[in-house]
């Protein structure tokens, strides 16, 4: 009986979606984890590194929106997710072939296009195929815990170790293997999600259309998330992009020590990725979003002010609580606020603004600040952005099923 409960389709679906998104982020931030090696080899500046990340983010954002809208209208999410996962892994492999900065930018741009729809597609599976009491938890596992385990915890240690042993090019060649395996699992195990039911389980007979999908932009929670994402994404990606360089070049740590400090972000993402969405299921999406967003200022300030690797790691862990908010503002709140047929479109709209403003423009600005004022400047900028994000979160209206039920049925 225990085995049956463990190996349910829902659990398999969550695990495969975790692998899809986790390895997407693994490949995305492999560049930053290996930046001390790549930048020397290709003669790149901090501005160049910011541009590489920004170009990827731009492609990721636009393709995520267009691909998700197409998947909503065509109702073919499984096939699109499997194909894009496989092709993205080919691009990750190709990163190791880059012989110049321009070639690296081109490869990462194509990779961003292919990986863009991954997040909204996996969240659509979670929204449609999760039991209501586990919806927030499942979305958190897919969006944050997967990134924490695979991209933030395993990736820095594994990638730096492989790079020291074989070089950064061979390291990228090896990244094709997990992507191919995950693509196989998508085709083999996942079932096409039924997006005709809303968050409460009510079925709709109307088909999705482009015209009707535009109604999502009138929803206050969607608009709030679109603005909120601009600042929290700048905090997240800006910190992860420049922390490795700051720790090696400014703090004087070895690449190995740096990789272990970065792994603390991963531990934080794992813990907060499960805890924050679960707390929101019980206490509400809005208050939990505000509290843990504001707490996130500790991560960039810890990098700046602490000197001991252990202290920095502890503060990185504590301050990465904002990563647990991702499942809320990008998925749970959105999925509970709009017509279920347009869940992927709504989620990708939030991704679009966050990536373009927070990652393309924000990280490009951070890179320029690093070249002009030093590597501490992007971290100060990240701290500013997370405070602004916390203020924006006050504009949400509550959507958590348990809280809404209590309000509608007071004892």
């Amino acid at each position: 009986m225990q085995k049956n409960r463990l190996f349910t389709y829902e659990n398999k679906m969550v695990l495969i979606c975790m692998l899809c998104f986790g390895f997407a982020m693994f490949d995305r931030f492999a560049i930053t984890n290996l930046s001390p090696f790549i930048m020397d080899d290709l003669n790149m500046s901090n501005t160049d590194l910011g541009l590489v990340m920004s170009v990827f983010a731009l492609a990721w954002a636009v393709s995520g929106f267009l691909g998700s809208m197409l998947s909503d209208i065509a109702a073919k999410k499984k096939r699109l997710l499997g194909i894009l996962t496989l092709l993205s892994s080919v691009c990750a492999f190709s990163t190791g072939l880059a012989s110049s900065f321009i070639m690296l930018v081109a490869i990462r741009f194509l990779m961003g296009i292919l990986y863009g729809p991954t997040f909204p597609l996996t969240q659509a599976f979670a929204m449609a195929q999760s039991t209501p009491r586990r919806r927030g938890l499942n979305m958190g596992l897919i969006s944050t815990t997967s990134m924490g385990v695979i991209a933030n915890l395993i990736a820095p240690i594994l990638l730096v170790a492989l790079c020291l042993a074989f070089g950064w090019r061979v390291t990228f060649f090896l990244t094709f293997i997990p992507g191919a395996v995950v693509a196989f699992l998508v085709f083999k195990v996942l079932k096409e999600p039924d997006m005709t039911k809303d968050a409460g389980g009510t079925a709709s007979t109307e088909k999705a259309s482009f015209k009707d999908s535009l109604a999502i932009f009138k929803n206050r929670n969607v608009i709030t998330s679109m603005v909120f994402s601009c600042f929290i994404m700048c905090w997240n990606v800006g910190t992860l992009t420049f922390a490795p360089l700051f720790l090696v070049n400014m703090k004087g740590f070895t690449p190995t020590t740096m990789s272990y400090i970065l792994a603390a972000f991963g531990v934080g993402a794992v813990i907060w990725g499960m805890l924050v969405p679960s707390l929101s299921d019980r206490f509400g999406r809005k208050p939990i979003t505000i509290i843990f967003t504001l707490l996130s200022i500790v991560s960039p300030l810890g990098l700046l002010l602490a000197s001991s690797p252990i202290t920095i790691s502890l503060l990185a862990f504590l301050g990465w609580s904002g990563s647990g908010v991702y499942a809320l503002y990008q998925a749970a709140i959105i999925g509970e606020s709009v017509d279920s047929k347009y869940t992927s479109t709504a989620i990708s709209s939030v991704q679009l603004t966050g990536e373009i403003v927070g990652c393309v423009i924000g990280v490009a600005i951070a890179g320029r600040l690093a070249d002009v004022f030093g590597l501490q400047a992007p971290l100060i900028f990240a701290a500013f952005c997370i405070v602004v994000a916390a203020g924006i979160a006050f504009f949400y209206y509550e959507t958590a099923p348990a809280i809404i039920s209590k309000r509608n049925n007071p004892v």
Side-chain angles (χ1 to χ4, degrees), residues 304-362:
L304 284 168
L305 302 177
S307 56
S308 164
I310 295 177
T311 304
I312 295 174
S313 298
L314 290 173
L315 293 174
F317 163 79
L318 179 63
W320 217 236
S321 59
S323 60
V325 173
Y326 272 55
L328 306 184
Y329 87 86
Q330 283 190 327
I333 293 175
I334 300 302
E336 293 164 347
S337 302
V338 304
D339 189 320
S340 61
K341 294 191 296 295
Y342 305 109
T343 297
S344 293
T345 301
I347 292 173
S348 63
S349 298
V350 174
Q351 176 179 289
L352 177 69
T353 55
E355 293 285 348
I356 290 180
V357 179
C359 298
V360 177
I361 299 175

Side-chain angles (χ1 to χ4, degrees), residues 22-31 52-53 55-61 63-64 84-96 103-118 172 175-176 179:
F23 279 109
M25 300 307 286
F26 178 101
D27 289 339
R28 177 175 184 170
F29 288 104
I31 284 285
V52 170
M53 296 299 292
V55 164
F56 182 100
L58 176 63
W60 172 291
S63 73
L84 292 180
T85 299
L86 181 61
L87 293 179
S88 301
S89 299
V90 175
C91 272
F93 176 96
S94 300
T95 302
M103 187 175 178
L104 180 63
V105 169
I107 291 172
R108 301 301 284 189
F109 178 78
L110 178 58
M111 186 175 171
I113 290 176
L114 295 171
Y115 263 139
T118 302
F172 277 107
T175 60
F176 171 77

